[in-house]
Amino acid sequence: MRIAGESVEREVPSREGAVYITTRHVYKVFGGRTNPYNVLGIYKIAEAKGVPVPNTAKFTAQLQDGTHTRTIGGLRSTRVSGRFFQLSKPGGERILINEIRKITNRKLLETVIEGLRNASRHGVVDPQGFIDVNRNPPLTFIDLHSRGTPNTASFEEVLEAAETQLNELAGTPSRSRTPGR
């Protein structure tokens, strides 16, 4: 199978349609009434608010499956890697916190904290993405949904763990901080 001339490594079903993963990109094709331009707007607003998201654009391309070819459209994002987390799933917070605890570079950790705070302020719901402590930027949110009003509850525990790690790197005692400040 090929999409936009790229070989598809994996096809993943999604509530909203289908996802095609290639070496460089992730293509999301929406079913039903979802307008890709509306979803793209969510990404662009979040990006403007400082939420770390992959480079995302609307696409129309050919999907070739064997001898069948059809034109499809949706969103194309730069493929990101690292450790996957989904805060709404069991163990999702623990995965993210464990990765945060591996960070020993203060600037990198500050970047993660800023991304988490911005996602919380922007109201990202069902937060999920990838973290890679060896990459800059280390944190990227995917499959973005937002309510536009702060969502501190989803981020409280991971922000507290990140700030504790930052304080430990600075050699100061940890102190709890309200998410989004």
Side-chain angles (χ1 to χ4, degrees):
M1 182 179 298
R2 297 181 72 75
I3 187 167
E6 296 182 69
S7 293
V8 174
E9 291 180 1
R10 254 180 21 239
E11 179 181 355
V12 181
S14 163
R15 282 184 317 223
E16 300 151 321
V19 177
Y20 301 95
I21 301 172
T22 70
T23 302
R24 297 183 334 218
H25 298 104
V26 175
Y27 295 86
K28 188 164 188 176
V29 179
F30 299 95
R33 295 188 165 119
T34 302
N35 181 337
Y37 286 108
N38 292 342
V39 179
L40 179 61
I42 292 168
Y43 274 83
K44 295 304 179 186
I45 291 167
E47 184 176 32
K49 301 277 185 176
V51 178
V53 295
N55 185 15
T56 302
K58 166 80 174 71
F59 83 93
T60 302
Q62 297 295 309
L63 176 67
Q64 182 181 10
D65 189 0
T67 59
H68 299 95
T69 301
R70 62 186 170 113
T71 302
I72 58 169
L75 293 184
R76 182 187 79 184
S77 298
T78 302
R79 185 174 175 179
V80 293
S81 61
R83 184 76 194 265
F84 178 75
F85 65 89
Q86 186 169 3
L87 299 184
S88 64
K89 299 288 184 189
E93 282 183 349
R94 185 62 34 213
I95 289 169
L96 185 53
I97 288 169
N98 288 342
E99 292 300 309
I100 287 169
R101 287 187 177 143
K102 293 178 184 177
I103 300 174
T104 58
N105 179 300
R106 188 171 172 79
K107 287 288 184 198
L108 201 64
L109 185 53
E110 288 170 348
T111 299
V112 168
I113 291 170
E114 181 180 7
L116 291 168
R117 283 186 186 146
N118 289 340
S120 174
R121 279 188 209 117
H122 184 59
V124 172
V125 293
D126 188 20
Q128 57 187 293
F130 292 90
I131 184 167
D132 184 344
V133 300
N134 298 309
R135 190 184 66 199
N136 195 6
L139 180 70
T140 307
F141 289 95
I142 63 164
D143 197 13
L144 201 61
H145 300 276
S146 172
R147 61 180 179 211
T149 59
N151 179 13
T152 56
S154 293
F155 293 92
E156 189 170 14
E157 189 176 330
V158 292
L159 268 167
E160 187 175 309
E163 289 172 355
T164 297
Q165 177 72 3
L166 185 63
N167 289 331
E168 288 174 8
L169 288 177
T172 59
S174 63
R175 57 182 166 80
S176 181
R177 198 168 190 196
T178 304
R181 279 200 193 168

